[in-house]
Amino acid sequence: MTMTAGRWMHAASSPFEVAAMQGTELPLHSRLFIVCGRSVEEDVLKQAFLPFGNLENIKLIKEKGVCFVKYDKASSAALAMESLNGAVLNNGKGPKLKVLLAEAPTPR
């Protein structure tokens, strides 16, 4: 056991568990990775993902055509992933979304 944030916890065996213990990925599975294309705007993504729950953060990396969306609940992320994977934004003009569970962030 180790002391983390003033409480005793089991030692982590993977970087994902370390991130979870540090609170960067809590609740687990609440962060999505979206392949969205370079032309999409953040407000379009926000409008697409907002109906599924409380958004904590949206990080659009426009030059790579990807986005991270963080919900306050894993169930919201699961519902968004199920509903929006393969969806086409902008009234059918594109882009077509690929929505996946994001891996835990790795320290740089």
Side-chain angles (χ1 to χ4, degrees):
M1 294 188 81
T2 59
M3 177 73 83
T4 303
R7 54 190 173 147
W8 288 101
M9 303 186 83
H10 292 281
S13 60
S14 73
F16 185 73
E17 290 176 353
V18 170
M21 286 180 177
Q22 293 172 346
T24 57
E25 218 19 58
L26 293 176
L28 294 176
H29 309 299
S30 61
R31 190 166 160 261
L32 300 174
F33 174 76
I34 299 100
V35 179
C36 56
R38 294 181 178 142
S39 64
V40 72
E41 298 294 328
E42 187 172 327
D43 59 328
V44 172
L45 288 166
K46 185 174 184 177
Q47 291 304 313
F49 284 87
L50 193 57
F52 301 100
N54 185 29
L55 293 173
E56 289 187 355
N57 187 29
I58 294 179
K59 181 178 181 181
L60 177 61
I61 306 170
K62 202 164 184 131
E63 60 274 3
K64 292 189 178 188
V66 298
C67 178
F68 290 93
V69 173
K70 174 83 167 82
Y71 284 96
D72 66 341
K73 295 180 182 177
S75 59
S76 298
L79 183 58
M81 183 171 59
E82 183 178 311
S83 300
L84 293 176
N85 188 39
V88 181
L89 298 182
N90 295 322
N91 296 319
K93 297 176 190 170
K96 183 177 179 180
L97 300 179
K98 184 172 185 178
V99 184
L100 308 161
L101 275 178
E103 293 181 8
T106 55
R108 292 185 171 201

